[in-house]
Amino acid sequence: MEGNFTLSIIKPRAVQKGFIIPILEKCHEAGFRISAMKLVQLTKKQVAGFYKEHEGKSFFESLVEFMSSDRVVVILFEKDNAVADFRKLIGATDPSEAAPGTIRNLYAESKEKNAVHGSDSDESALRESDFFFSKMERF
Ligand code: IDP
Ligand code: MG
């Protein structure tokens, strides 16, 4: 799967605001195919495990609270050059720095509540995909 997959999460605030379909539409237009997808509410423990690289940082506790506060959509996307192309599509972590037309520019409300997650490398995409999906759940 190396190079062709990236893991995304539509975060709680974006789900609450009704942005699931508009965000999926942007992904579709950009050529991403859905390989696996689920709507779930994560536990604090799951979020802490998912974001373990950020443990100890100032924003970690708040991020765990936020990400476990309501349902999220977890999606495994397939496309050539998926990781880099998806990071480009979503824009910078802080929406005030995200380029016009990017998903975070359009749908984020703050640096924490920034609408979507996107894997930062092929290794992360693999780890994150295994974190959420079994082989049988991928199409
Ligand atoms: P990324 O999502 O663009 O890869 P990371 O640095 O990996 O950004 O941070 C993971 C998530 O943690 C971000 O998407 C955001 O929700 C949150 N976050 C990162 N930095 C900050 C911050 O300075 N303040 C509040 N939340 C932050
Ligand atoms: Mg990251």
Side-chain angles (χ1 to χ4, degrees):
M1 77 175 247
E2 193 149 311
N4 294 328
F5 288 89
T6 194
L7 192 287
S8 182
I9 301 177
I10 303 178
K11 300 187 181 187
R13 202 73 196 100
V15 172
Q16 288 165 351
K17 286 172 148 175
F19 294 151
I20 296 174
I21 290 168
I23 289 171
L24 289 177
E25 184 84 40
K26 294 284 287 180
C27 299
H28 170 72
E29 282 167 8
F32 289 87
R33 195 182 71 81
I34 296 169
S35 175
M37 179 163 77
K38 57 181 146 196
L39 180 66
V40 284
Q41 181 159 5
L42 304 174
T43 64
K44 284 187 192 181
K45 202 173 164 186
Q46 283 175 312
V47 175
F50 179 77
Y51 277 123
K52 66 175 191 241
E53 62 175 300
H54 296 301
E55 206 179 328
K57 291 184 186 168
S58 59
F59 60 83
F60 185 73
E61 295 299 328
S62 176
L63 179 64
V64 170
E65 281 293 329
F66 166 58
M67 289 297 291
S68 60
S69 67
D70 204 343
R71 290 168 301 171
V72 297
V73 182
V74 186
I75 312 150
L76 182 64
F77 279 121
E78 182 178 7
K79 183 188 180 297
D80 288 346
N81 200 35
V83 167
D85 286 1
F86 196 73
R87 296 290 304 200
K88 207 168 185 184
L89 178 67
I90 67 178
T93 306
D94 187 336
S96 69
E97 291 163 16
T102 59
I103 290 173
R104 283 168 167 170
N105 168 257
L106 293 168
Y107 301 113
E109 68 176 47
S110 69
K111 192 171 182 183
E112 178 183 76
K113 297 172 176 60
N114 60 358
V116 285
H117 167 81
S119 307
D120 64 6
S121 66
D122 288 342
E123 296 69 45
S124 299
L126 188 59
R127 181 184 83 81
E128 293 169 3
S129 169
D130 286 343
F131 189 91
F132 285 113
F133 298 110
S134 71
K135 273 213 169 78
M136 276 184 63
E137 290 174 301
R138 299 171 196 171
F139 292 89

